[in-house]
Amino acid sequence: MSSRSDQWTRTATRIFRTIWRNPNISRVDLAKKLGLDKSTVTKQVADLLENGLIEEKEEGEASARGGRKPIYLAVNKEYGRFIGIELQLGFFEAVVVDLAGDILETARGEVRITQENFAATVADIVDTMQKRFCSDSLLLGVGVGTAGLVDSKKGRIKYSVPLGIQKTLDFAKAIAGKLKAPAFIENDANCCAWGELAFNRDEELKDFLFALVEYRQDETSLIRYGGIGVGFGVVLGGRVHTGAHGYSGEFRSAFCDGPGELQFSLSREELMCLRGDKNLLHRTVDELARNMAMLINTMDFQHVYIGGDIEALDIDLPAILRHRLEENWMYPSPKDVEIRYSSLGDKAVAFGAAGMVFERLMAERSMPGLAVELKNLDQQIGA
Amino acid sequence: MSSRSDQWTRTATRIFRTIWRNPNISRVDLAKKLGLDKSTVTKQVADLLENGLIEEKEEGEASARGGRKPIYLAVNKEYGRFIGIELQLGFFEAVVVDLAGDILETARGEVRITQENFAATVADIVDTMQKRFCSDSLLLGVGVGTAGLVDSKKGRIKYSVPLGIQKTLDFAKAIAGKLKAPAFIENDANCCAWGELAFNRDEELKDFLFALVEYRQDETSLIRYGGIGVGFGVVLGGRVHTGAHGYSGEFRSAFCDGPGELQFSLSREELMCLRGDKNLLHRTVDELARNMAMLINTMDFQHVYIGGDIEALDIDLPAILRHRLEENWMYPSPKDVEIRYSSLGDKAVAFGAAGMVFERLMAERSMPGLAVELKNLDQQIGA
DNA sequence: TTAGTTGGTTGATTTATTCAATCAATCATG
DNA sequence: CATGATTGATTGAATAAATCAACCAACTAA
């Protein structure tokens, strides 16, 4: 008796999502928006209320022509929390996020990741975060973002230059049993895309590109890949695009001639001194902009978000990109493409990892309280 | 009484599609594949049989361990037809296609298209084709493919260099009432993508790029755009990607520096003599391959189809692309991307336009016989 | 012949949804 | 200030698409 049928959960998820995206919406408006009968909404909402996923807010104002006041509905932020973690070569960045997408706590620390201790490291971070920040609240899920080829569906890291991972690391298998909540792993740039997508209330945000441009100055990174790393997160039709093999978003400039490990046509020596040489920096960023312009026009993205510490460097990538975009577009009527820095700064990956978990629980319809009627669970335990 | 509910049609469409993709499938296998109860399938199949959309084929072989022979199901090819039309500067190419995706008839002729006579020209072609080739059979829909910026959802041509269309042409409005069947318009490269998608039985064909590379030698084309034109059709997650503004698939090389109307970094004079100059031809095609390699790796496409009359030129684009793809991929494990010429030759656009109609009728669930119970219609007419 | 197996059908049951009626609460108006 | 119009929310009966369980049909293998 504990689980509802698939159809019920499906509708419950749709309703929950809509309430989530439109705080203070009435039952009637929900019904209109979803093309359902208002009585259907009443019944579903009663269930969501009982399970604690949403709550009734104060009544709104009646229409000018009279009528009963609507009862506003909103998600219960306190229902549960997500933990998002970015793992990099020498450090981690973690955030605790509530159901509204608000960051409650952040943490940063040093770690030394190896093929072997990867899952254990994640489990440690989660345990610490949970004890410190949300011991009383329900942990809904954990998301991990990291650079490299990640097969997110299978939960594996195939390869990672920055982390020095050479053979497949089965994260899903390694983490199994170590945590009480579900855990997911995803490429860092894709995480950023998830972040913009998941906790954004704009339903029109359906086709965008997130460019994660990192510049590392530590010796290992400089030698391994010249210090500058670019990854894309691609969202099409409102969904993060994983690609045929799960490797979407990997970038290497079209200007590179011949094989190599660098993402740009510049030499390793040139890349290593970008910070000092304004001219070289401009050449590199312009090369990136020309590649991106082609990609953006061909795929017809609506928005471009730029994240990573490129923002800290003394160069205006958005302006350069805007210029190259216009140049690359051959038609008289200009196309409006919104380009801007991500507002999340150095928390973008960790925050996005949390957002990914939210989206995946919704997509898989395995969010506790949506898939399972909690009241009946209690009865079972009580009996 | 004539129309079933949305849910019924939805399931009917799913079943019809699955039978379409798997000719000679049994009811039980259908149920397994779609996660339905076999009794549900029995009822739906009875409806589809009555409406004539599918038919029972001979019985198959019983399993080795005994049991009743399955009754194979297949679509009724003769149920209806599609007309697909490619419109170019001086000529049209049209095909009549049955429900199985088999080309029954083709036609080719000269036309002189203007902003004003566009819809009338299409109506003329359809009337002629219908009288000659399928007067007895049900015309399910008409698809038109043409070069330029096409907003397929709204049925408008925004702009077309090859056709010389400078201001928006509202095809949907202009064709309304002129035909008895629904008509759709789409960009030519996207049509090719629809063609590969619609009439391809491989369910795994979900992420691919169709590159339509045309080389025209007439003077107008040579002067307007150098004679060589490249457009992409993008399929992601099994759906043709239209883009945020509906302009997905437009191409201009990242190597172009500064504004201009040409798609490549070569000068108009250079482009105009590609056929004679092997060296210039190779430079152009290599430039295309480098752009495509970046696009393909970043978006992680699984297949690449190449169409248009590039095939007639003396150069091996697939080989060059394969080479550039390998170079552009930085990781040790090779990624399998299948590259090949489209098998449809100069009929690719027209055929694809027909495929698009099929897909759209399915997606909108407005295929006659799926949305409406024909038997009841007859009763109504008879009464 | 008989038991076991698989494909397909039938009618009762389940369940999410809609429909229709009703209650609840507000505004405008004479 | 009663009345009607209007809008939001609830309730229980009706609807319809799915499942379930039982059965028939037809085959293999012993």
Side-chain angles (χ1 to χ4, degrees), chain A residues 79-114:
Chain A
Y79 181 76
R81 309 207 163 150
F82 304 101
I83 292 178
I85 302 168
E86 175 184 15
L87 275 176
Q88 289 236 11
L89 185 58
F91 68 96
F92 74 89
E93 182 90 46
V95 295
V96 180
V97 174
D98 67 16
L99 256 185
D102 291 330
I103 296 179
L104 302 176
E105 302 292 344
T106 68
R108 194 184 165 93
E110 288 192 7
V111 280
R112 190 130 296 280
I113 293 166
T114 65

Side-chain angles (χ1 to χ4, degrees), chain B residues 83-89 91-95 113 118 122 125 142-148 150 152 157 160 163 171 183-192 194 212 214 347-357:
Chain B
I83 292 178
I85 302 169
E86 175 186 13
L87 276 177
Q88 288 235 12
L89 186 58
F91 68 95
F92 74 89
E93 182 91 47
V95 296
I113 292 166
F118 194 98
V122 170
I125 297 170
V142 175
V144 178
T146 186
V150 180
S152 187
I157 304 175
S160 174
L163 292 183
F171 173 74
F184 303 95
I185 193 162
E186 177 62 284
N187 169 276
D188 53 358
N190 277 347
C191 277
C192 294
W194 281 109
L212 181 66
E214 307 267 28
K347 307 277 186 298
V349 177
F351 177 78
M356 166 193 66
V357 178

